[in-house]
Amino acid sequence: MTVDERPDPASFPGGVSLTHVTVYDVPGTDGVAGGTPHLHTASAEAYLVLAGQGTVQTLGSQGYREDALAPGAVLWFTPGTVHRLVNGGGLELVVLMQNSGLPEAGDAVMTFPLEVLGDPQAYARAATLPDADAGTDVTAAVVRRRALALEGYDRWRADVGRDGPGALESLHRAAAGLVRSRAPGWRRTWAAGPGAQAARTEQWLTDLATGRASHLGGSRTYRAGATPGTSPVPGMCGWLRGYGVPPSG
């Protein structure tokens, strides 16, 4: 058995990405500290809480929910679920994202007002953060972006409270419109990563059913950690540090 210190990201179990997130502690326009509300169009997301306290607010087929977060809690949600992390103090998570590579390629859509979501150029301008190396105030840009997302989020939260989960249809249509042109490229990314893993498992099961075990001879051990000396990068939920795979969140 060999040990590889630099694994191929596509080799991570299940084709997921793994990220440490320190949730933003700067209050938003409503006085609540936390992340930028958003949804994913093709990937499920899971939280494992490491430290601190908080909640996650969600909008989906179950309506509006608030779930408490404390160390040891595990929570996940499917594509289309709008989620907003609220930092009640020192909230840190490990985030597992399905379909590694897709969230980093634009699978995440923030809840900007419809007039922004309906204009790809306007969305790109609102969503893109400045380069921290250029000496700009990234935190201020994160706060501005979050404020715009909260503007749309508050509208959909009120609509869901009044009309039920069907009120999210306009948001879902707008999100699908934004990512439509990227879907063919995502299919190739998925096929090379999570899809290839699923195909390999299918072959292994076929082999095992006939008594063959040649794949066991290629066993390997991988080790990954946060890249030494690098600073966390700003994401939608907080400051991110990836582990051998592209960071998400």
Side-chain angles (χ1 to χ4, degrees):
M1 182 173 66
T2 62
V3 177
D4 193 337
E5 298 285 344
R6 300 182 62 187
D8 177 350
S11 71
F12 200 79
V16 303
S17 64
L18 174 67
T19 307
H20 176 269
V21 179
T22 302
V23 180
Y24 292 125
D25 58 5
V26 178
T29 51
D30 57 358
V32 177
T36 299
H38 63 283
L39 60 84
H40 296 276
T41 61
S43 302
E45 180 172 0
Y47 296 154
L48 169 60
V49 182
L50 300 179
Q53 304 289 329
T55 60
V56 59
Q57 300 175 352
T58 57
L59 291 171
S61 64
Q62 298 163 298
Y64 174 74
R65 289 177 51 131
E66 289 190 6
D67 286 277
L69 299 176
V74 176
L75 180 144
W76 66 94
F77 36 84
T78 58
T81 305
V82 176
H83 48 287
R84 178 198 186 193
L85 277 170
V86 173
N87 190 348
L91 187 58
E92 295 184 30
L93 317 168
V94 168
V95 175
L96 296 170
M97 285 297 313
Q98 184 186 23
N99 299 325
S100 179
L102 300 195
E104 299 80 20
D107 165 59
V109 174
M110 285 170 273
T111 56
F112 298 146
L114 270 178
E115 55 269 26
V116 178
L117 292 176
D119 182 339
Q121 287 73 37
Y123 181 88
R125 289 193 297 270
T128 302
L129 295 175
D131 187 348
D133 295 334
T136 53
D137 188 345
V138 175
T139 300
V142 166
V143 169
R144 287 193 299 271
R145 183 174 74 172
R146 181 179 59 186
L148 186 61
L150 284 171
E151 183 180 333
Y153 171 76
D154 287 342
R155 294 182 194 175
W156 276 295
R157 180 173 165 181
D159 289 347
V160 168
R162 183 184 63 249
D163 303 324
L168 294 172
E169 183 180 355
S170 59
L171 171 60
H172 293 159
R173 283 200 311 267
L178 272 174
V179 306
R180 181 178 179 181
S181 64
R182 302 180 183 183
W186 291 356
R187 182 180 292 277
R188 291 189 291 272
T189 298
W190 173 84
Q197 286 204 28
R200 283 197 297 272
T201 300
E202 182 179 27
Q203 183 60 55
W204 295 339
L205 294 175
T206 298
D207 290 347
L208 290 170
T210 58
R212 295 192 298 272
S214 59
H215 63 283
L216 300 181
S219 60
R220 301 176 66 86
T221 297
Y222 293 99
R223 182 184 181 94
T227 304
T230 59
S231 299
V233 298
M236 282 168 282
C237 296
W239 295 97
L240 316 179
R241 191 183 293 275
Y243 287 82
V245 290
S248 302

